[in-house]
Amino acid sequence: MKIETIEDLYKQKSQIIFKHLISIGCSKENAEDIVQTTFYKAIENMVHLEVNNLSAWLFKVSIHQFYDKCRRNQRYPKVNINHEAFIHYFIQEETSEDILLLKELHGEVQSILNELKPSFKNLLILKYDLGLSYEEISSLLDMKVETIRTSLYRARKEFGKKWSEHIERRS
C-alpha cells in the first residue's frame, strides 16, 4: 500500500497510535495531544527525515513522548486493557467460573503486565488488546516478523510464569 500524503498516513495510523497510547495508560486528552504532536514533528522534519518506515518512526516518537511525559510528571502509567479479550488467549477452556474469575482478576492482570519488561508488555498489548497481526506489529516497530513471533512467544511465556506464581501466592 503506497501512502501518497501525510494526510493519508494520518488517516491510516493515528487511530492505532491513539489506541495503543490509551492501552498503555495514557489519558485520552494526553493521547490526542501526543498523536497531534507526533504528526506535527513528522511534517516539521519531513524534509530532513530519512526513514525507511515512516509508520514505525511515528509509533516510536509517540511512545517516547508518552514516556517523557510520565517522567516529567514523575508518575508511572497503569495499563488499561480489555481484560476478557487479553486473558482469553491464556485460558484453554472458558467456563462460567473462568468468566467470573476474569472479572475478579482485573487489577491482577494489570499488575502482572506492569511487572513485565516494557517491550514484552507492549508486544502483548499490541497483539492481544489491539488485535494487530504479526505483520502489522512488525511494520509498526520496524522489526522482522520472525523477531516479533519470537519476542511474543517469550512475552507470553513470561506472562504465564508470573501468572502461575501469582496464583500460587493467592492459594
Side-chain angles (χ1 to χ4, degrees), residues 120-166:
F120 283 178
K121 179 173 78 171
N122 281 330
L123 284 172
L124 289 171
I125 289 171
L126 288 169
K127 178 67 178 163
Y128 299 111
D129 191 38
L130 296 178
L132 299 179
S133 68
Y134 292 117
E135 291 76 19
E136 291 169 323
I137 296 170
S138 169
S139 173
L140 276 177
L141 300 179
D142 198 22
M143 297 168 68
K144 294 179 182 175
V145 174
E146 287 307 312
T147 305
I148 298 296
R149 287 183 200 278
T150 303
S151 297
L152 265 168
Y153 170 78
R154 292 177 181 157
R156 283 190 301 267
K157 192 173 180 179
E158 183 69 20
F159 180 89
K161 178 182 168 194
K162 289 191 180 291
W163 184 260
S164 296
E165 291 170 359
H166 177 75

Side-chain angles (χ1 to χ4, degrees), residues 3 6-22 28 31-40 54-55 58-59 62 130 140:
I3 298 172
I6 193 74
E7 183 179 353
D8 294 338
L9 185 65
Y10 181 80
K11 287 177 184 175
Q12 292 176 8
K13 301 300 178 184
S14 64
Q15 283 300 341
I16 291 174
I17 293 170
F18 176 80
K19 287 178 183 176
H20 183 68
L21 288 168
I22 295 293
K28 181 181 176 200
E32 290 170 347
D33 290 344
I34 290 171
V35 169
Q36 181 178 357
T37 304
T38 300
F39 279 91
Y40 175 76
L54 189 56
S55 359
L58 290 168
F59 189 77
S62 66
L130 296 178
L140 276 177

